[in-house]
Amino acid sequence: MSDNIYRITELVGTSTDTVEDAIKNAIARANATLTNLDWFEVIETRGHIEEGRVAHYQVTLKVGFKLE
């Protein structure tokens, strides 16, 4: 097994629908500009409330990717 070196970046994904969609949105956007995405960790979940209801989800992620 070879040794791997990873870089970690922090992202905030958002969605008006679900926490899972906020995660997927962040990963999809990161995948457009970063290569070798390998793992993620949810470090914070927040939301926005309007008129007593959840209007927006925000999820902070750490994303790891292998350096070439």
Side-chain angles (χ1 to χ4, degrees):
M1 184 170 154
S2 64
D3 294 331
N4 294 310
I5 304 299
Y6 293 88
R7 181 168 194 134
I8 298 172
T9 190
E10 197 168 285
L11 308 170
V12 178
T14 64
S15 173
T16 56
D17 297 320
T18 67
V19 169
E20 290 83 5
D21 283 347
I23 294 168
K24 290 176 184 179
N25 291 342
I27 297 297
R29 179 60 182 91
N31 191 55
T33 56
L34 300 173
T35 58
N36 301 319
L37 293 178
D38 198 50
W39 56 268
F40 74 91
E41 174 186 1
V42 174
I43 57 174
E44 185 175 28
T45 305
R46 296 184 299 278
H48 180 246
I49 299 169
E50 289 181 2
E51 298 178 9
R53 294 190 175 183
V54 176
H56 212 119
Y57 298 92
Q58 296 176 335
V59 180
T60 304
L61 310 168
K62 286 185 180 178
V63 178
F65 54 99
K66 292 180 192 174
L67 296 178
E68 295 180 359

